[in-house]
Amino acid sequence: MLDRVLVLSGLDPCGGAGIAADIETINQFGVTPLPIVTTLTVQNTQRVESLHAVDHQLIEKQLNSLQDDIDINIIKIGLLSSVEQISVIANWIDEAHTVILDPIIKASTTDELLTKQAVEVLKKTLLPKVHILTPNVSELEILAPGLDEQAAIDSLPCEWVLLTTTDVSEQMIEHRLYHQGELLERFSYHKLPGQYHGSGCTLNSAISALIASKLDVNIAVKRALDYTYQTLLNAKRIGKIQYHPNRATP
């Protein structure tokens, strides 16, 4: 068992998403998170007001310091906020790492979080090193513009793609798991009323923790989806709009 996951993500002051969600989720599976904050944010359950990128040289020093002391195999990546960050992280990752990337380009409130230039650098330098990619429909359209779903999946260099329809579904959400361009499985869940803050972070962190626990990808994805759905069924409302997933849900 690889009982640790390196996490690179942003800091959400209201605790719903980002590094707080990652830490809470990974701990629930008995795995230790190794957290590096990429972005400081001004946000709440209603909106994202601003992003402040952590210096890429500091991130590089943190990565090297951890690597000098701890064997790192599993890497979960969430919000990145500068071209320099993406380049540093992509250069640091090697073939021994299993990378799970949540391509956070827009917030659930539709705020743009990643510039067009940063998206292009991500596609060129980081995506080829990603083992599991988890876009929603809107993110897939940005990563592979002008293509239908199958062609878009085929254009991506990632071995596994878990596509979620959360952002375009009204009643049933379908998660479609592709392996090397082939659709392997579909997972369907009723769409719950209300808005949720951090469901994608929860899902990706759960997948990462389960991969660290030596589960096969398709099994890890199914268990992570079930866990995430339960956190939403038991979600808490601490602000005015979006609900927080209850990640302590057994």
Side-chain angles (χ1 to χ4, degrees):
M1 178 175 175
L2 306 171
D3 58 350
R4 70 217 66 159
V5 173
L6 173 64
V7 181
L8 296 121
S9 192
L11 177 62
D12 170 16
C14 69
I19 208 85
D22 298 330
I23 292 170
E24 287 181 357
T25 301
I26 291 168
N27 277 332
Q28 288 298 313
F29 291 90
V31 175
T32 299
L34 309 174
I36 293 179
V37 175
T38 61
T39 313
L40 302 177
T41 72
V42 179
Q43 66 175 300
N44 55 29
T45 69
Q46 302 179 74
R47 61 191 175 274
V48 177
E49 298 180 22
S50 62
L51 305 178
H52 304 269
V54 173
D55 183 79
H56 65 282
Q57 293 177 326
L58 175 60
I59 291 174
E60 186 174 29
K61 289 178 181 178
Q62 290 175 310
L63 289 169
N64 290 334
S65 178
L66 284 174
Q67 189 176 48
D68 286 344
D69 182 47
I70 302 170
D71 290 332
I72 297 171
N73 301 96
I74 312 299
I75 304 173
K76 185 268 181 186
I77 303 175
L79 177 62
L80 303 175
S81 52
S82 75
V83 169
E84 293 81 8
Q85 284 184 3
I86 295 168
S87 298
V88 160
I89 293 166
N91 288 335
W92 185 83
I93 291 170
D94 63 32
E95 294 180 356
H97 297 130
T98 297
V99 181
I100 298 91
L101 174 64
D102 182 6
I104 302 175
I105 300 169
K106 288 185 177 182
S108 56
T109 55
T110 74
D111 297 284
E112 296 282 350
L113 301 179
L114 209 57
T115 66
K116 291 181 180 180
Q117 181 188 9
V119 170
E120 290 306 311
V121 173
L122 182 144
K123 289 164 61 175
K124 182 179 179 180
T125 65
L126 188 55
L127 280 194
K129 298 186 176 184
V130 170
H131 187 60
I132 305 170
L133 181 72
T134 63
N136 60 27
V137 172
S138 298
E139 290 162 344
L140 181 64
E141 290 173 351
I142 294 171
L143 292 172
L147 301 177
D148 62 29
E149 181 177 318
Q150 184 61 61
I153 297 294
D154 289 338
S155 75
L156 298 173
C158 313
E159 181 179 355
W160 295 87
V161 178
L162 177 64
L163 178 67
T164 177
T165 66
T166 304
D167 55 326
V168 297
S169 300
E170 294 184 0
Q171 295 183 338
M172 294 295 296
I173 296 171
E174 188 170 80
H175 305 271
R176 297 190 275 271
L177 181 63
Y178 289 85
H179 180 240
Q180 296 182 336
E182 179 184 353
L183 178 61
L184 290 187
E185 294 189 66
R186 300 172 184 263
F187 309 96
S188 297
Y189 299 84
H190 287 282
K191 187 165 187 176
L192 301 175
Q195 299 179 41
Y196 299 86
H197 191 53
S199 56
C201 302
T202 304
L203 173 61
N204 279 266
S205 293
I207 292 172
S208 302
L210 290 163
I211 294 294
S213 301
K214 288 292 192 177
L215 270 68
D216 292 338
V217 172
N218 58 327
I219 297 172
V221 165
K222 172 59 175 169
R223 291 192 185 179
L225 284 167
D226 287 344
Y227 167 77
T228 302
Y229 195 64
Q230 288 300 312
T231 71
L232 301 183
L233 287 172
N234 294 281
K236 303 172 286 184
R237 188 169 188 174
I238 67 171
K240 295 180 179 178
I241 294 187
Q242 295 174 314
Y243 288 83
H244 280 47
N246 185 355
R247 288 175 277 264
T249 299

